[in-house]
Amino acid sequence: MAIASSSSSLLLLMFLAFLDHGAAVANLSSIEAAVRDRAFQLFRRTSEIVAVDVPAVLAGAGVEASATRVRSSALWADGVNATVPGLAVAVPPRVVPAPFARRVAIVFVRFLGDASSWLFDAPPGYALAAPVVALLAFDASGPNGGVALRALGAPVRVEFRDISPASGFNATAARCLTFSSGGGKAVAAHAVAMEPGPSCVVSGTATGHYGVAVRVETPPPPPPPRPPPVRERWWVWKVGATAGGVAAASFLAVTVVGAVRWRRRRRREEMERRAMCGEELGRMAVRGSRMPSAKMVRTRPELEEELS
């Protein structure tokens, strides 16, 4: 058992070395397994709450833990009340481990600072307002496997003491969340009841990860870009005016040329029409040739002698 524990801790330290470089995804189950191994090394007597000396790499990442060990009969009769820095957990009587174990180790883990943002993902439109808390239970009389704590009476109460209305916390815009871990970040799975404190009130299965998230106001859209000053746009106006003048002059020239050509064509057509509609001349024979002659003389000839 000690050899397996040491090897798992070594693998954990190698994996969590990436946290120093700001990695966004870590193995949550490996972290909690390392905390569990340290907790079992520190137990001295039943019902004593001890601070778990987590590995340095976990402590540097913001992981804190406390643990206690209790008999199942005492857990059913009296429950457990644990107060650790920034956290108070009240496990009422009538709580049983599932599967059953004669002794139960209860571990409280707090993910401080960036550890919460690295390991847990708040739902869209919300942000975590306090470090996420893990309430874990293990079989302390057998193979140290995980067990669930089922509250058959009053609900379990997890109070967050790091936030208060004096610090600007708005309880009306907050939600108490549970998280489910997968391949990457643990995502918000359900919302549970919240009471003043603020506290998460959990009925049924009480083991899990709990956090308080507040609604984040969506920032307003950025204002539209302002137009450039007039001094910066004078060349735009100049180019536009020049192009418009050239276009207008071209249109006027084309219009004038077209009008002149149309007028000349109309005059030529008029002349041709008049020529086709003129008076037809008569014909007369002059020395064997037929020549055109007018049917009437508009100006009568006069002799020069009569004029003198």
Side-chain angles (χ1 to χ4, degrees):
M1 182 65 68
I3 296 176
S5 175
S6 300
S7 61
S8 63
S9 299
L10 179 60
L11 292 175
L12 173 66
L13 294 178
M14 294 175 61
F15 182 82
L16 290 180
F18 293 103
L19 288 177
D20 294 337
H21 302 284
V25 177
N27 192 327
L28 185 60
S29 60
S30 298
I31 295 175
E32 293 172 349
V35 174
R36 176 203 61 193
D37 294 342
R38 287 297 183 94
F40 276 98
Q41 295 173 5
L42 296 175
F43 288 138
R44 292 181 177 85
R45 62 179 182 272
T46 305
S47 300
E48 180 183 4
I49 298 177
V50 295
V52 178
D53 184 17
V54 299
V57 65
L58 294 182
V63 178
E64 292 183 354
S66 301
T68 185
R69 186 173 59 178
V70 62
R71 291 180 178 273
S72 298
S73 57
L75 182 64
W76 173 265
D78 303 324
V80 174
N81 292 320
T83 301
V84 297
L87 178 68
V89 179
V91 180
R94 297 179 61 81
V95 172
V96 296
F100 179 78
R102 290 190 299 110
R103 288 187 176 87
V104 178
I106 303 176
V107 181
F108 314 97
V109 186
R110 298 178 68 223
F111 299 91
L112 306 176
D114 293 334
S116 290
S117 59
W118 288 341
L119 299 172
F120 302 92
D121 195 6
Y126 285 83
L128 294 175
V132 176
V133 174
L135 175 59
L136 309 174
F138 303 95
D139 185 357
S141 59
N144 300 342
V147 297
L149 298 182
R150 293 183 178 177
L152 303 181
V156 176
R157 181 185 179 94
V158 180
E159 181 179 353
F160 296 85
R161 296 188 172 183
D162 288 342
I163 53 179
S164 63
S167 61
F169 173 74
N170 184 8
T172 59
R175 298 177 64 185
C176 191
L177 305 174
T178 62
F179 294 88
S180 61
S181 59
K185 281 188 174 182
V187 297
H190 303 284
V192 297
M194 175 176 286
E195 292 184 354
S199 301
C200 296
V201 180
V202 187
S203 300
T205 302
T207 47
H209 302 80
Y210 303 96
V212 176
V214 294
R215 183 178 295 276
V216 179
E217 296 183 0
T218 305
R226 298 179 59 185
V230 178
R231 293 182 178 179
E232 297 180 2
R233 294 186 300 168
W234 66 270
W235 63 272
V236 178
W237 291 103
K238 185 176 180 179
V239 172
T242 303
V246 172
S250 302
F251 177 77
L252 181 61
V254 171
T255 303
V256 172
V257 172
V260 171
R261 290 183 178 179
W262 178 82
R263 184 175 180 81
R264 288 179 179 178
R265 186 172 64 253
R266 292 290 296 172
R267 290 180 62 183
R268 185 170 59 252
E269 293 175 354
E270 183 66 19
M271 292 175 64
E272 292 177 355
R273 187 182 63 80
R274 289 182 180 182
M276 295 296 295
C277 297
E279 185 177 0
E280 183 180 0
L281 297 177
R283 299 287 179 177
M284 64 178 299
V286 178
R287 295 182 181 183
S289 300
R290 296 184 62 82
M291 300 181 64
S293 64
K295 296 181 180 180
M296 60 176 298
V297 179
R298 295 180 180 179
T299 304
R300 298 183 64 82
E302 295 181 0
L303 297 177
E304 295 181 357
E305 297 179 355
E306 295 180 359
L307 295 175
S308 56

